[in-house]
Amino acid sequence: MIFSSQRQQAISGWLLENNPGAFADNLKLQKYLFFYEMSSYMENPEEAELDHLRGYEKGPVFSNVYGDYRHDYFVFEDASRKSFTEHRKLVNLDFAKHASFLVSIMNDAELSAFTHKFNVWYAKKDRINSDEREVSLDKMDINSNDKELLDSMYEVYDTKLIDDSVVIPKGLVKFILSKEDSSNLSPEQEGLLEQIAENHAEDLENPVYVDISDNGALEID
């Protein structure tokens, strides 16, 4: 038996189909769902599902989805795949694309730090940081700051950029290349990205934009 709703399963199923690496990471799945539901709430508060949102040290967690994922992973995976296949209309593609992109361009620590900025989590931070468990997060704490955080992400990472980009993760560093440059990336160039990530991670701020010049040189922004 699983406890997540058909809608949550369908939204998760979109991630499974389009960003399976993020679906396979419990923290990224939770952040993806959080960004998606916050976007949903800003557009239509009645549609968003926030009833099971809890506050933990690493950020907001949907407790029903977390339980399904941890205790019945393969059942939840199958249910998510089936729900998305049969109920695609339940998923707002714009919300899903942006949420997926956000979890792809930040490492775990950055994702947690970013979600801590949302007042819906911050309003309960003292209780959460005192090790109180299962702290319920209240949609009444969602405020204009939360909307501004989301709006800024939609402005910086618009749909065109998302559709035209490929995120290449190398350890803690998340590189963004155009789809054209990504398709032309040689093994040697990819190895160079790995070296950059390994040796200069502390000096770089995610996401890191990369262009390939006409002579094949990597240009790091």
Side-chain angles (χ1 to χ4, degrees):
M1 180 178 180
I2 57 177
F3 298 95
S4 50
S5 69
Q6 187 173 80
R7 177 177 173 278
Q8 289 174 318
Q9 292 164 20
I11 295 166
S12 299
W14 183 96
L15 191 69
L16 175 62
E17 181 171 303
N18 293 276
N19 191 350
F23 182 91
D25 184 314
N26 194 11
L27 184 141
K28 288 187 182 296
L29 173 62
Q30 287 290 337
K31 302 307 185 210
Y32 160 80
L33 290 172
F34 175 70
F35 295 139
Y36 184 103
E37 292 294 10
M38 289 297 288
S39 298
S40 181
Y41 182 86
M42 296 305 173
E43 180 171 283
N44 182 0
E46 298 301 320
E47 185 174 289
E49 290 188 46
L50 300 171
D51 293 343
H52 297 276
L53 194 60
R54 304 289 184 265
Y56 285 87
E57 179 184 358
K58 293 184 179 181
V61 171
F62 290 91
S63 59
N64 56 339
V65 176
Y66 180 84
D68 290 346
Y69 191 96
R70 288 296 301 273
H71 301 298
D72 292 293
Y73 175 82
F74 293 110
V75 175
F76 176 70
E77 181 184 51
D78 288 344
S80 296
R81 183 182 292 108
K82 184 175 186 290
S83 292
F84 178 58
T85 300
E86 297 180 355
H87 305 284
R88 291 174 180 262
K89 290 184 178 180
L90 292 176
V91 182
N92 183 304
L93 296 182
D94 189 41
F95 296 166
K97 282 184 179 181
H98 277 86
S100 175
F101 192 75
L102 288 178
V103 302
S104 298
I105 63 172
M106 289 184 264
N107 60 47
D108 288 358
E110 291 166 341
L111 280 168
S112 292
F114 182 57
T115 56
H116 289 174
K117 294 180 180 180
F118 285 80
N119 193 63
V120 69
W121 182 92
Y122 190 82
K124 300 292 194 305
K125 72 179 180 66
D126 290 339
R127 291 173 57 190
I128 296 167
N129 291 334
S130 70
D131 293 329
E132 181 180 343
R133 297 183 59 81
E134 293 284 330
V135 177
S136 294
L137 301 186
D138 192 340
K139 61 185 178 183
M140 298 302 294
D141 288 322
I142 297 174
N143 63 11
S144 59
N145 173 70
D146 297 351
K147 185 177 188 307
E148 289 171 6
L149 284 171
L150 278 177
D151 286 347
S152 67
M153 292 296 99
Y154 275 76
E155 182 176 346
V156 174
Y157 308 113
D158 59 30
T159 302
K160 184 178 186 304
L161 183 147
I162 293 172
D163 288 342
D164 292 344
S165 299
V166 173
V167 179
I168 299 179
K170 296 296 180 184
L172 297 177
V173 181
K174 315 300 177 183
F175 295 101
I176 294 182
L177 285 76
S178 69
K179 286 186 175 178
E180 180 180 358
D181 281 351
S182 175
S183 66
N184 294 323
L185 191 68
S186 69
E188 292 77 14
Q189 291 168 326
E190 187 160 0
L192 182 56
L193 291 180
E194 291 177 356
Q195 292 179 30
I196 293 171
E198 182 177 349
N199 298 321
H200 301 286
E202 294 182 357
D203 303 320
L204 299 171
E205 181 177 348
N206 284 324
V208 178
Y209 291 88
V210 179
D211 291 317
I212 301 178
S213 67
D214 292 338
N215 63 7
L218 296 180
E219 299 178 346
I220 308 294
D221 185 0

